[in-house]
Structure formats: C-alpha cells, structure tokens
Amino acid sequence: MRLAPALVAVSVFTSMGCRWRRRRAPPRPPPVSARIEVLDRARLADHAYGRVGDLRLVAGEVALTVAARPDAPGHRPMMGAIVDVDRAADDQPDPLLWWRPVWIDAASRAHPMVAALVDLAPCPNRSVGVVRTATVDGVSLRSQLCALGPGRFRVRTTARDLPAGATLADDINPGSASVRVEGRDEGWEGTTPTPWIELTEHGTTLRFETADPAVARRNLVHIAAETFPSAVTWMASGASSDRTLTVRAADPAPPPPAAGATLRLGFDDPSGADVPVHVMFARAGGPDPQPALDARAHGFASGRSVYLLDGHGDVSLPPGEYRVTASRGTAWTLHRSTVTLGAGAPTELRATLRPVLPPGWIAADLHLHASPSPDSRVTLAQRVGSLVCNGIDFAVATDHNRITDLSPAVRAAGLDHALVTAIGDEVTSAGSTLWGHFNAFPLPPVGEAVAPEDAVPPYYGVDPAALFAGARAAGASILQVNHPRMPPSIGYFDLTRFDAATGRASEAFSEGFDAVEAFNGIWLETPAKVREGLVDLVGLARRGMRVTATGNSDSHRLVYEEAGYPRTWVRVAQGARATLGERVFAGIRRGETSVSSGPFVTLENLTDGRDGVLVVRITVTAPAWVPVEHVELWRDDVVAQRWAVTAPATDGVRFETRAVLRLERDAVVTAWADAETPLPDVLPYPGARAIGFTSPRYIDRDGDGRVTVAPRP
C-alpha cells in the first residue's frame, strides 16, 4: 500500500531522526558533586596529620585530606598521602593514619611514594580530583584521587619503569583500628588474597575494594604476651591498580547480654573519705565476666575490670558466684571477697583500704599511651581514671611522636586533687635506620595553631645525637631511654650494640640521656629481663655515666598493660602542689628513685665507702598482699649478699637490715627484692611478679670525683 505524500514525509523524517539518535553517544551522566578545600587550620584529632595548606576532597559529608606540603626535616615524609578521613565538618578521630601508593621490589622491600607534586586535576567522571606524582627510586608513579559520589572515592595509580618482579601496592596504616579482609578474622596476619579491606574505629568504617587480583600482607608485632598493630600492604598484580573507598558509619555494636544481678560497691579510706579503686572480677571455671557499670557512676568498665573514680558504683552481672578484688596500687591494702549474686535487690559490698608506704615519695608513671598514639584505643578520660584508680600521683603523657596534655581530662573528671600530669613525647625513631624509643619531658603545651606532627621533636632519619639534641631544643630537661633491649628493633642498647660487660658501643651511641627504663611493664612475667636492666645500668657506669633507674607501665590498654605496673617512686621535697612536677623532675635528676611492681625498696648509705667499708641500710615495705621472699644487695652487676624473707606477711616494713660491703675500688650498689609467688588478681597476668629495686648508688671509693667501674672479668 502506498502512503500519502504527507505521511511519507513524516515517516521519513521520523525514521531519519531515529537513525540519528541511535548514532549519537549515550547521554553523559551529570558530573559528581565534589569540591576541593584548602585546610586553613590544623587537624587536631587523634591520629590526625592534616596541616594548614593541605587539600581536602569533599564528597557529600565525607572528606579526605591529602598532605600537600613538604614535611619539616626530621619528620616522616608524607606529601601526597591521604592522611585523614572525616564524616562531618568537625575534626573527629578516624580509623586511618595514612594511605599512600608504594611499589614493592622483588625482595619484598617497600618504596613509598613521597609526592613531588600534588595538584588539582579533572577526573574522567568530570568531578574535580587530586593528582600526585613522584619518581621513587627510579620508578615514576602517578596516582589520581577522584570522588565517585557521597562518601565514595576512587584511586587509580600507574607506574612506569617498574623493575622485573616488582609490583604496585597500597601502604594502609590503620593504627589501632580493627582490620578485616575476606575470609579471615580480625586478628589475621601473614599474606592472604582479598578483594577488599575494612578498617573500623571511632564509629567509622572504611571499605577499600578492587576488581583486580590483590593480596594483603600484615605482620603484627609480638612482644612477650602482647600484640601490637602494624600497617597493611595491599599488593596489586602489576604496574597499575584501581581502588575504591567507601566511608560510612560503622555498624552498631551488639547490645550486652542482660545481666540480671546488681552488686553495689563502696570503698573508702580510714578517714571515711571515698577512695578511687580498680575492681577485678573473676569466676571459677567459666569465661571472664564482663561487668557493666551503671551509667550514673563516676567511672567506666573494661573487660573484667571496673574503675571507680570515687569508689562507688552499681555493677551489673549475670547471677552467680564471683571473686572480687579491689585495689589502689601497691601502696595500699586491698580487699578480696567472694560474693554470690542473684536477681532482685542489689547485693552490697563495702570495704576500707589503707595506705601502707611512708610519706615523702611520689608514685609516678613516666611512660603512658592513650588514643593520640597510633597503637592505643584508650581515651584520655580512661587513661586518667586508670592512673588514679591504681594509685599514681604523677604521670607523664608520652604518646608516639605526639604531644599530649592530660590535664584537661584531669580537670574534667574533677581529679586535680589526686593526679598531677606533665606533657611529654615518646620520640619514636623512624626511617631507614632505627634507634629505638625515647621519652622527652617536660615539654611545653602546643597551641591549636600548630599541627600535632609539626609540634614533635625530630624523629625521622636522625641519629641518636641529633634526636637527643632536638628533644632538648624542644624543652625537655629529662631524656629517658625506653625498653632499651626490646625486640623488634626498638631497643636503643641492642641497636647500638651496647655491651654492658665492657661499656663499649657502636659509634652511633650517644650519652645524652638522663634515665633508663630498667623495668618496662611488658616484662612483668619475665624477671630475667628486669635484671638485665640493672646490669645495663652498671654497664653505663663503665663508660663513666651516672643515670637514674625508672620503671613504667608503657600502658597502651586498660586491663592488659595496666597503668602503674611497674611504677617509679620518686623522693620529693615538701612544697606546694603546683610545684610537684618540678620537684619530681629534680628527684629524677638526683637519682632518688625506687622502681616497683610490688615491694618498695630503699637503700641508705650510712658511710661513704672511701675507707673501703660501705655500710648501708636496706628497707623493704609493702602491704601484706604483695609477696616478698628474697632481698639482694648488688655490687656492680653481681649479687653480693642475699637474704630470704620468712616472716609472716604484714602491712608495712617487711624486711630491714644493716649490711656491710668491702670495696677495693669504685662501685655501683643497688638493692633488690622479689618473690617467685605471683601477684594476686590485681593484674590479669597469671605470672606477674612482685619486683622492687633502687636506683644505683655510685660509690667514689678513691675520692677522685668520678665513679669508674671496671669491665666485667
């Protein structure tokens, strides 16, 4: 059938129009809504690296911060790395320290990208993005960050001139965040294929995904009974990688099981005043209980512990029989009892704790971590509470390469009367050569105009002498060598090949420190490592050095690595509370310290020893619950005299004697007390030992003004 001319024209036009539409490219989607901001103030939240001048790529309510400025000398080079993730406009903690491209050579060595250029660049989806370029050890890297939508991002990285056997990878440092990969639980380590990685902490989850084959590698750090986090290397299969990142609110934690029974706790001192306590719960033949503290109480719960800042609170537990241990550190008596809880009215438990040790000494913990450290989840409020409940009078905040001030948390908790704090920094060496960890204190407070990374003393790529000089320049009057013989690669004495038998060390060894952490809390179950610390103090005397012994918890957690175990007792002169810090530092510089995870040991010189006869008095004081079984008097690094303590345990002086040492030459003298019986349930470690020892006494036998100890035969 033939169509009318008009209809033919319309039909042809329509047909041609259809053919024309089919030949056109499909409509382009609208550009993704995103924007670039330049930081006008430093990011101050825990783990934050963002500094003024860095770039923020904002998509919806989520922003990624890219380090866009060169780093100061002596600081980790992070230019080009993604260093902060925010789900809101305010400055909040997040699960990421950094995310940056690296290439991995055939020997599995990582070559991190430090960008030579960070600039804006359009993305394929017409959104704005950030491009980072660098040549790293002969390999040219280009990495572009783009927004895909609200809370979603893409990073595409390419490499040129990649050597044979090498591959691209991502260096993802989650700090203390939980890390999940496909088919593995949260505690995974080693190497595993996975198309995704999830980091969760602070109410935020970051999910990294790829459609390409990828392998994740993580090597956790194991020291004694403890495990510490590490970065994740996510390896691609060649010279390009394509990753997406989705940022969302973390899934809510499951509600705790119904308790059904209430224990009403109340603790005071002999005057009737409320006393802060640390309460531990145990249940025979069953899993560790998980007590829940009433929200109205002044305190918090963690694991099988409850910390009561005013000694009072209602605790919820399932009905049953529990062993309850309430303590306030090694200077106080404790309370132990067994309670049977049932449904219905609360069961009451009230007790009085008494101080035991003599006045004139301050309990100090000079090595502590909280959430500003990348390997700790403890909040500042929790850290302050744990210190007070464990009877610490003076504390120094020493987060890894971070300046932390605990005093606002002390004031917020109303604990100014119980705890004085100082600002410090654990200068944690980094770079191609590691030298260990060192506490620097006191340091001045840092204003909000200064980024946390810029405020710390130099730590990256500097030798020990430069590291010590930088800490002194920052204001530190005391430098403490932390855990000097601790694997892996964090013990200064091991890394500088210091030989205590001769006093010799490598050329890199610097003597610019004042104190040595002879007892670190990680060695509570390993007395031989603590004795090693005393031997090292004698080895330093073989170099002509006089240093002070300290002992500190190095606490990164709450229930494990308990604050105040061990502690450094510092003899202080009388004075106003406002000057306590100055008096503590003066006592440390004088060497008037005693280290303890239980017994408190003092050593008094009754003669000066210059006639060849040194007379000393040794006194050991402890509450009855602290086991004391042996006392030793050391001359140099040899036990010269040893006594067994057989008297029944009582609160107060447990041992006292007058001892005589014959000296032919200069000597270092130390008193020590310990027990093979472990501490009771004030700590979760089944084998935690009660150990106490004094700082060395340097005896100038020949009167020449120096103490020179002969090498060990």
Side-chain angles (χ1 to χ4, degrees), residues 276-314:
V277 290
H278 171 212
V279 186
M280 293 193 72
F281 295 84
R283 194 170 189 175
D288 285 346
Q290 303 290 309
L293 185 62
D294 186 274
R296 294 166 294 183
H298 190 24
F300 52 92
S302 179
R304 63 186 184 98
S305 284
V306 168
Y307 299 83
L308 301 176
L309 306 190
D310 59 4
H312 294 270
D314 286 0

Side-chain angles (χ1 to χ4, degrees), residues 605-615 663 698-701:
N605 290 1
L606 301 180
T607 65
D608 62 13
R610 291 188 179 179
D611 61 355
V613 179
L614 177 68
V615 183
L663 303 180
Y698 297 93
I699 309 302
D700 183 11
R701 166 68 173 84

Side-chain angles (χ1 to χ4, degrees), residues 221-228 486-488 490 522-523:
V221 179
H222 301 277
I223 306 173
E226 302 301 329
T227 300
F228 296 90
M486 183 176 285
I490 59 174
I522 211 160
W523 304 130

